[in-house]
Amino acid sequence: MLTVLKFGGTSVKDAEAFKRTSDIIISTDGKKVVVVSALAGITDDLTNIISALDRQNYERAKETIGSVSLKHKQVIADLDLSNDCDLFLEIKISELKLLIEAVEILGELTGKSKDLILSFGECMSSTMLADILSKNGIKAKQKEAGELIITDSEFTEATVLFDQTNEACSCECKKMFDTNDVIVAGGFIASDVRGRRTTLGRGGSDYSASVIAAAIKADRLEIWTDVDGILTSDPHLVKSARLVTELSYIEASELAFFGAKVLHPKTIRPAINAQIPVVVKNSYNPGGPGTVIVNKAVDCSIIKAIAYRKDVTVINIRSNRMLGAYGFLSKVFEIFKKHETSVDLVTTTEVSISLTIDDETKIYEVKKDLEEFSSVEIFRDKAIISAIGEGIRETAGIAARFFNVLKGINVSMVSVGASEVNLSIVIEQPHLDQAVIGLHEEFFGDLGESDLFRKTGESK
Ligand code: ASP
Ligand code: MG
């Protein structure tokens, strides 16, 4: 069994969290690659150092380095880690200081320097985690992530070069597994083909884990976080929301759009492509089943979740020309592109189009441009509700049940996404709570005991 486990910043935010994390790693069978984020808040601190340097506020940058150093010192002391770990921290901190002096002398802050600064957090957290595992008698070793993940030279937002990365990962991990059971690597960091440090963009650790899992053909990728997994609906609104224990990749992607913030679909793509199941698990409830995301769902006949989005604006656009104006749609979308306003739902006829946006910052510019060739109406205080599940494509009658619940509520747009696993409607925001609760009741009201939909907080 070969598992890749990824732990986010909250799973290593203090000594307690480190212990919980190392317990989870120790109780996982087989060989493991562990990918870890920086201690919670550290990448933000490092980003602040970079902004201070940008403003040539070197004093500020140095102060922040001081507090970053202290935060790590504290956790190292609380965990009673080895002297090597202390020493490593000192070396890394002096490197940071040197780097800042160099930036000050040169008067220039390059992408390369930024990535050296940004990678500090994961260098430290991975070293500390390997140290605590070793202290517990586990054969664990930290691996410089730059030797595993190879990217282009787009510093701070690098793109993975898969051929080189797959080669490096399989070769390096194989070597290390001869004498170790656990390899610990920092997430988010990589290097270019010339061995210079790069990073994958904020939140990149999930992606690191997924890339490594695909490269070494892991049996499973576990993403450890601080919630039970993906739920049937927002638990703040729907008290009886359940944990969905299995979703297809497409279902998970559609849900992510609604702010099921647990996973970004892009980040797990490499693992999904390699047919590796991705499991979202809760560090605070390690016995729970979590949510497994697989290429193809077991049950394709049902709805898996009711999601929603608030504060949506609907724009109705009607072409001023008569029927058959080709080019109308493309002209409309050009304008949204020009003003960098992303469009969520769309429904069209030949001469009119309704669409929703949730970022209104450029709405007046958009409206003005659209009015050159169409009449435009804007409606605010709308909400989108989506039912998500492969059953929308596969099962007759789901749409009928869905609309039956909404009797008496004015529905202003209906859309079935191209993936056909997402049935979305737009309604007036004041009706949102009632509609979501009603829909959840309709589709998940009498589940009883169910393996697919588990009560949250259960540990087995
Ligand atoms: N530490 C990095 C960040 O906060 C990467 C990650 O945690 O995924 O963006
Ligand atoms: Mg993070």
Side-chain angles (χ1 to χ4, degrees):
M1 182 83 175
L2 177 53
T3 313
V4 174
L5 302 96
K6 183 263 171 178
F7 294 90
T10 51
S11 302
V12 288
K13 66 168 195 243
D14 52 23
E16 278 305 304
F18 260 100
K19 281 186 196 143
R20 221 176 1 249
T21 293
S22 74
D23 286 346
I24 291 168
I25 298 167
I26 292 168
S27 61
T28 304
D29 290 334
K31 299 274 188 190
K32 290 151 273 191
V33 177
V34 174
V35 175
V36 64
S37 290
L39 274 60
I42 293 298
T43 311
D44 289 337
D45 292 342
L46 299 167
T47 307
N48 290 338
I49 293 176
I50 290 172
S51 331
L53 293 176
D54 257 334
R55 298 191 310 267
Q56 298 176 326
N57 189 343
Y58 302 107
E59 276 320 301
R60 190 67 228 246
K62 283 173 200 158
E63 271 165 37
T64 312
I65 291 184
S67 85
V68 165
S69 173
L70 273 181
K71 284 182 194 170
H72 286 86
K73 254 200 191 108
Q74 183 67 51
V75 181
I76 290 174
D78 291 346
L79 287 170
D80 195 19
L81 295 181
S82 69
N83 290 338
D84 285 355
C85 218
D86 267 324
L87 199 61
F88 187 73
L89 175 65
E90 269 171 41
I91 294 171
K92 285 284 150 192
I93 290 290
S94 351
E95 278 177 15
L96 268 188
K97 286 183 180 156
L98 271 177
L99 194 63
I100 285 179
E101 276 165 29
V103 169
E104 186 170 358
I105 291 166
L106 293 168
E108 129 182 303
L109 178 64
T110 61
K112 288 186 209 88
S113 313
K114 286 182 187 171
D115 274 348
L116 284 169
I117 296 170
L118 285 170
S119 59
F120 170 90
E122 271 77 4
C123 281
M124 275 319 301
S125 63
S126 56
T127 303
M128 290 160 70
L129 189 57
D131 200 84
I132 183 173
L133 288 166
S134 305
K135 225 180 107 202
N136 279 288
I138 305 297
K139 287 187 192 143
K141 204 164 167 52
Q142 194 257 10
K143 178 73 182 167
E144 167 60 51
E147 291 169 28
L148 297 176
I149 300 186
I150 316 297
T151 64
D152 64 8
S153 305
E154 188 70 42
F155 296 97
T156 72
E157 284 287 343
T159 302
V160 172
L161 303 175
F162 280 94
D163 289 345
Q164 287 92 325
T165 298
N166 291 347
E167 164 92 34
C169 280
S170 49
C171 183
E172 295 294 320
C173 291
K174 194 164 176 291
K175 254 192 281 172
M176 286 182 78
F177 278 139
D178 278 344
T179 47
N180 294 286
D181 293 325
V182 185
I183 300 170
V184 186
F188 169 63
I189 53 187
S191 72
D192 71 359
V193 282
R194 290 169 58 187
R196 296 175 300 183
R197 174 60 47 76
T198 55
T199 59
L200 303 174
R202 290 303 306 268
S205 293
D206 286 351
Y207 191 54
S208 300
S210 165
V211 166
I212 294 173
I216 63 172
K217 304 190 171 58
D219 296 298
R220 172 181 160 99
L221 166 61
E222 297 182 353
I223 307 274
W224 287 85
T225 168
D226 51 9
V227 293
D228 269 340
I230 295 170
L231 305 188
T232 50
S233 200
D234 173 9
H236 300 294
L237 177 53
V238 182
K239 297 284 171 259
S240 59
R242 297 253 189 143
L243 170 71
V244 191
T245 57
E246 189 174 303
L247 282 173
S248 72
Y249 176 70
I250 297 176
E251 290 170 333
S253 306
E254 292 284 350
L255 263 172
F257 162 76
F258 287 96
K261 284 180 212 73
V262 195
L263 268 190
H264 196 296
K266 221 171 70 190
T267 63
I268 61 164
R269 183 99 239 184
I272 293 291
N273 283 348
Q275 310 261 347
I276 298 166
V278 179
V279 196
V280 180
K281 303 256 298 175
N282 188 352
S283 313
Y284 294 84
N285 179 19
T291 299
V292 185
I293 299 162
V294 289
N295 226 330
K296 210 170 161 1
V298 270
D299 193 338
C300 291
S301 68
I302 51 169
I303 279 183
K304 306 279 172 60
I306 304 290
Y308 67 86
R309 237 180 193 203
K310 278 183 163 171
D311 299 323
V312 168
T313 299
V314 172
I315 308 180
N316 287 344
I317 307 154
R318 178 168 286 276
S319 170
N320 285 338
R321 289 195 225 139
M322 288 311 288
L323 288 178
Y326 55 81
F328 172 59
L329 286 184
S330 78
K331 247 158 109 183
V332 167
F333 286 113
E334 253 333 290
I335 288 168
F336 282 90
K337 184 172 166 221
K338 175 175 156 201
H339 297 292
E340 293 175 347
T341 298
S342 98
V343 170
D344 300 328
L345 292 189
V346 185
T347 58
T348 68
T349 69
E350 203 173 9
V351 289
S352 73
I353 172 166
S354 287
L355 45 79
T356 68
I357 60 169
D358 72 354
D359 175 6
E360 277 213 12
T361 22
K362 296 280 177 62
I363 193 159
Y364 290 105
E365 287 90 330
V366 168
K367 181 165 186 277
K368 195 164 156 277
D369 283 358
L370 287 170
E371 279 174 343
E372 309 234 318
F373 59 93
S374 55
S375 46
V376 179
E377 287 175 299
I378 292 173
F379 302 94
R380 294 200 170 74
D381 284 327
K382 303 280 188 178
I384 300 176
I385 302 180
S386 285
I388 286 156
E390 307 258 359
I392 290 164
R393 174 173 56 204
E394 305 290 337
T395 310
I398 283 188
R401 281 169 71 193
F402 185 89
F403 287 107
N404 200 33
V405 174
L406 302 171
K407 269 195 312 243
I409 294 180
N410 197 6
V411 175
S412 55
M413 266 173 86
V414 180
S415 156
V416 177
S419 63
E420 292 180 62
V421 307
N422 176 341
L423 168 62
S424 293
I425 54 156
V426 175
I427 62 169
E428 304 282 339
Q429 189 138 300
H431 294 137
L432 177 71
D433 293 9
Q434 173 205 350
V436 171
I437 292 168
L439 286 166
H440 194 273
E441 184 58 29
E442 168 67 26
F443 290 102
F444 306 101
D446 50 1
L447 289 173
E449 292 295 312
S450 157
D451 280 341
L452 185 54
F453 301 105
R454 300 276 297 265
K455 299 204 175 89
T456 54
E458 282 184 352
S459 66
K460 265 287 160 268

